[in-house]
């Protein structure tokens, strides 16, 4: 445990800047773009008492929000139309940008850094949250 950041040294988190990591190895991910992703992240934070698991946000382009889930957990699920899964199933290869915990990592940053216990975002909770927000915003 690094006392300065209160998080364990996790091998897939770069020491500085950001790097692409192959989905399906250490984690799967789901990306929800723009304000929808930020709303989903905010609701997940609220539902989990501020500790939903690791969430990465990007400040440019799609303004994507990447929710990091346990490896293998996105395959075989019907994700809402606004949620893009990243995994290593069915011959696909996808990569997810991961920022360092500290220093300059623009355009990426941790909205919620990985918890010390190694937990990820819960797939069913994320799916339910995105579905609920889609229904709410479409009515």
């Amino acid at each position: 445990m690094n006392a300065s950041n209160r998080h364990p040294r996790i091998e897939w988190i770069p020491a500085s800047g950001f790097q692409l990591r192959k989905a399906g190895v250490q984690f799967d991910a789901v990306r929800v773009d723009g304000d929808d992703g930020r709303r989903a992240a905010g609701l997940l934070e609220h539902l989990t008492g501020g500790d939903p698991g690791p969430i990465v946000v990007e400040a440019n382009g799609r303004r994507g929000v990447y929710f990091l889930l346990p490896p293998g957990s996105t395959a075989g699920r019907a994700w809402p139309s606004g949620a893009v899964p990243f995994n290593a199933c069915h011959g696909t290869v996808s990569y997810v940008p991961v920022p360092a915990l500290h220093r300059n990592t623009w355009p990426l940053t941790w909205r919620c850094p990985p918890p010390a216990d190694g937990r990820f975002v819960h797939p069913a909770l994320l799916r339910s949250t995105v579905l609920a927000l889609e229904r709410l915003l479409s009515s």
Side-chain angles (χ1 to χ4, degrees), residues 12 19-29 71 86-89 91-98:
W12 49 265
Q19 294 178 348
L20 295 176
R21 298 289 187 221
K22 185 177 177 184
V25 179
Q26 289 96 355
F27 55 83
D28 280 6
F86 290 77
N87 53 49
C89 69
T92 63
V93 177
S94 5
Y95 292 89
V96 177
V98 176

Side-chain angles (χ1 to χ4, degrees), residues 2 15 17 66 69 82 94-95 97 101 126-128 138:
N2 182 339
Y66 294 87
L69 291 79
S94 5
Y95 292 89
L101 288 171
L126 174 61
R127 184 179 178 280
S128 297
S138 67

Side-chain angles (χ1 to χ4, degrees), residues 7 17 21 29 31 51-52 69 81 94 97 111 120 127 131-132 137:
H7 296 284
R21 298 289 187 221
R31 187 188 74 222
D51 191 15
L69 291 79
S81 61
S94 5
R111 175 162 179 155
F120 289 98
R127 184 179 178 280
L131 280 170
L137 295 172

Side-chain angles (χ1 to χ4, degrees), residues 78-81 125-138:
W79 290 97
S81 61
L125 183 58
L126 174 61
R127 184 179 178 280
S128 297
T129 299
V130 174
L131 280 170
L133 286 171
E134 279 187 358
R135 281 189 214 116
L136 178 68
L137 295 172
S138 67

